[in-house]
C-alpha cells in the first residue's frame, strides 16, 4: 500500500522559464536541487529566500510544505499547503496541494492503532482527494490514493463492527454465566437451608427423648 505524494518536481520547468534569471529563480533552482538531494535544511533556506523576494509565492510555499514532510513535520507541512490554497490561482498546483493534504491524513490513519481515529483521518483524507480530483480529474495518483483510502475505511468499519459484535456476544455470555452462577447459588442456599432445618429437627427430637 504505497502512498503517492505530489512533489515539487512538476514545477522545475515552470521556475526555469517563468522567472527568467532573477534572484527568485536562482533561489528556487538551488532549493529544488537541494530537495532532490534530500538536503532539506538547504532547500528550506533557499525557498525562504524566495519568499523574501515574493512573500506570496505559491510554488515556494508548496515546496516548503514538501520540505516539512521530508522532515516528518506534518503539521507545519499542512499549514504551508493551506497558504498555497490561499495564494494560488493555478488549478494544477491547487490540486497537488489538496492531494498532499490528503496524503498527510492518509499517513496518519495508517499509523493509528485506534479504529475510531483511523476512520476519522481517512474521512478527511478522502475529502481532500476528492477536492484534488475536482481540480484535476486526470490525476491518477490522486485517484489511486482515494481508492486506497476508501478501501481502508471500509475495512476499518467492518473491523469495528466485528469488534462490537464480539463485545456484545461476550457481554451476553458473561450475563448468562452470571445468571447461571446466581441460580446455582440459590440452589446451594436452599440445600444449605434444608440441611440446617433437618439438623434442627434431629436436635429437637434428640432433646425430647
Amino acid at each position: 500500500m504505497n502512498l503517492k505524494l505530489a512533489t515539487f518536481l512538476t514545477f522545475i520547468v515552470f521556475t526555469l522559464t517563468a522567472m527568467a534569471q532573477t534572484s527568485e529563480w536562482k533561489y528556487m533552482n538551488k532549493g529544488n536541487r537541494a530537495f532532490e538531494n534530500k538536503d532539506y535544511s538547504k532547500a528550506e533556506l533557499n525557498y525562504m529566500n524566495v519568499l523574501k523576494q515574493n512573500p506570496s509565492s505559491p510554488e515556494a510555499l508548496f515546496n516548503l510544505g514538501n520540505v516539512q514532510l521530508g522532515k516528518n513535520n506534518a503539521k507545519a507541512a499542512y499549514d504551508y499547503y493551506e497558504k498555497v490554497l490561499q495564494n494560488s490561482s493555478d488549478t494544477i498546483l491547487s490540486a497537488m496541494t489538496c492531494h498532499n493534504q490528503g496524503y498527510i491524513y492518509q499517513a496518519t490513519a495508517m499509523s493509528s492503532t485506534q479504529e475510531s481515529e483511523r476512520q476519522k483521518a481517512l474521512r478527511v483524507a478522502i475529502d481532500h482527494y476528492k477536492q484534488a480530483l475536482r481540480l484535476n480529474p486526470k490525476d491518477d495518483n490522486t485517484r489511486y490514493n482515494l481508492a486506497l483510502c476508501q478501501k481502508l475505511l471500509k475495512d476499518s468499519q467492518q473491523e469495528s463492527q466485528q469488534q462490537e459484535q464480539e463485545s456484545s456476544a461476550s457481554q451476553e455470555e458473561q450475563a448468562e454465566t452470571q445468571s447461571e452462577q446466581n441460580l446455582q447459588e440459590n440452589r446451594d442456599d436452599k440445600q444449605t437451608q434444608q440441611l440446617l432445618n433437618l439438623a434442627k429437627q434431629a436436635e429437637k427430637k434428640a432433646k425430647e427423648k
Side-chain angles (χ1 to χ4, degrees):
M1 292 186 180
N2 295 323
L3 305 188
K4 298 181 183 293
L5 174 69
T7 68
F8 78 98
L9 296 175
T10 303
F11 292 96
I12 289 182
V13 175
F14 170 85
T15 59
L16 293 178
T17 57
M19 293 181 180
Q21 294 292 333
T22 63
S23 58
E24 183 180 344
W25 176 91
K26 292 177 182 178
Y27 285 128
M28 184 72 81
N29 190 38
K30 288 180 181 179
N32 290 348
R33 295 184 183 280
F35 189 94
E36 283 186 291
N37 294 325
K38 296 185 178 181
D39 187 347
Y40 299 126
S41 295
K42 184 176 180 180
E44 181 177 21
L45 177 62
N46 280 284
Y47 294 143
M48 292 300 294
N49 283 331
V50 174
L51 289 184
K52 289 179 181 179
Q53 304 289 322
N54 180 8
S56 61
S57 169
E59 292 78 24
L61 291 168
F62 179 82
N63 291 352
L64 281 166
N66 287 349
V67 164
Q68 292 303 321
L69 278 186
K71 292 183 173 183
N72 296 317
N73 192 345
K75 183 181 184 306
Y78 190 91
D79 290 342
Y80 273 120
Y81 294 144
E82 281 292 288
K83 292 178 181 178
V84 174
L85 296 176
Q86 293 169 8
N87 290 280
S88 177
S89 59
D90 187 295
T91 302
I92 299 300
L93 178 56
S94 296
M96 293 174 68
T97 302
C98 291
H99 174 106
N100 284 7
Q101 287 179 320
Y103 173 95
I104 289 173
Y105 275 95
Q106 185 172 0
T108 298
M110 294 180 71
S111 64
S112 177
T113 58
Q114 298 292 326
E115 292 299 329
S116 59
E117 292 300 318
R118 182 192 300 270
Q119 293 172 22
K120 181 179 179 181
L122 285 171
R123 289 189 182 95
V124 177
I126 287 170
D127 287 342
H128 282 302
Y129 287 140
K130 285 182 176 179
Q131 179 59 24
L133 283 176
R134 292 187 191 101
L135 293 167
N136 182 16
K138 297 181 180 180
D139 192 330
D140 290 335
N141 286 345
T142 298
R143 188 170 288 103
Y144 170 88
N145 281 11
L146 174 60
L148 180 56
C149 273
Q150 291 171 329
K151 182 181 184 304
L152 289 171
L153 179 59
K154 182 179 179 180
D155 291 345
S156 180
Q157 289 172 332
Q158 290 176 343
E159 179 68 21
S160 295
Q161 185 177 9
Q162 183 177 352
Q163 289 177 353
E164 289 175 1
Q165 291 174 345
E166 290 175 353
S167 176
S168 177
S170 177
Q171 290 176 356
E172 290 178 0
E173 183 178 348
Q174 290 176 359
E176 289 177 0
T177 300
Q178 184 63 45
S179 178
E180 290 176 0
Q181 289 177 347
N182 291 338
L183 288 172
Q184 185 60 44
E185 288 174 0
N186 290 335
R187 294 192 195 100
D188 292 342
D189 289 344
K190 288 180 180 179
Q191 290 176 354
T192 300
Q193 188 61 45
Q194 289 174 351
L195 291 173
L196 288 173
N197 291 337
L198 290 173
K200 288 180 180 180
Q201 291 175 4
E203 183 181 358
K204 182 178 180 181
K205 289 179 180 179
K207 287 181 179 179
E208 290 177 350
K209 292 180 179 179

